[in-house]
Amino acid sequence: MEQRLTDDERLTLKTGAFGAVFLVSNADPGMFAMIRESIAASGALNGASGVVKEALTTGPLPRLPRDSALEVESVVLPALGRAVDILRKKSPQDLTVYRDVVLAAADRVARAHRGVAPGEAAVIERIRGALAEPA
């Protein structure tokens, strides 16, 4: 029973997904790495379907804080949790798609340049936790 997402709900999904990529990319920064990571992330995000694809490919880009990684994380991780709640309520068949796409993008970004650094692995675990079902 899929319900149409509002513009704000689509932006929440996009903020979580794009923000997760940004967090992983910035966990091990570097200009050359950033280019490879962007390409890797776009490949994973393009693998989305249904409501998730619509949310990730339409509307404005999310606005993330720029002051610190902690500030970005304080926006992105809650957005991921809200995205899970939104999909659970409005389009439960797309919840696994969202989780898989976000985690695949994060993993591809981490592996795009010299393998997964410890900082990237730690960020991916926090992303995984934000996407988990509440206990």
Side-chain angles (χ1 to χ4, degrees):
M1 176 172 93
E2 178 183 315
Q3 296 177 34
R4 187 153 178 82
L5 301 183
T6 66
D7 290 344
D8 284 343
E9 290 168 334
R10 285 193 301 275
L11 185 58
T12 297
L13 269 66
K14 189 182 273 188
T15 299
F18 286 31
V21 166
F22 182 80
L23 286 173
V24 175
S25 182
N26 284 323
D28 189 26
M31 183 52 97
F32 183 66
M34 186 175 68
I35 295 166
R36 295 178 93 179
E37 291 167 349
S38 295
I39 293 167
S42 65
L45 295 174
N46 283 334
S49 61
V51 168
V52 175
K53 183 173 187 141
E54 178 187 352
L56 299 182
T57 59
T58 62
L61 290 174
R63 297 176 63 93
L64 298 172
R66 297 190 180 267
D67 293 334
S68 73
L70 286 176
E71 230 182 343
V72 174
E73 196 168 303
S74 75
V75 169
V76 172
L77 297 182
L80 289 168
R82 286 192 308 275
V84 167
D85 289 340
I86 290 165
L87 290 172
R88 187 181 312 110
K89 291 173 185 163
K90 288 198 160 185
S91 190
Q93 69 277 10
D94 290 304
L95 180 53
T96 299
V97 171
Y98 185 74
R99 282 187 179 122
D100 290 350
V101 164
V102 170
L103 290 171
D107 185 63
R108 286 185 188 182
V109 165
R111 294 180 189 286
H113 188 71
R114 289 187 261 163
V116 182
E120 292 169 324
V123 169
I124 291 170
E125 281 310 306
R126 290 194 295 278
I127 292 166
R128 187 180 314 282
L131 290 168
E133 291 287 334

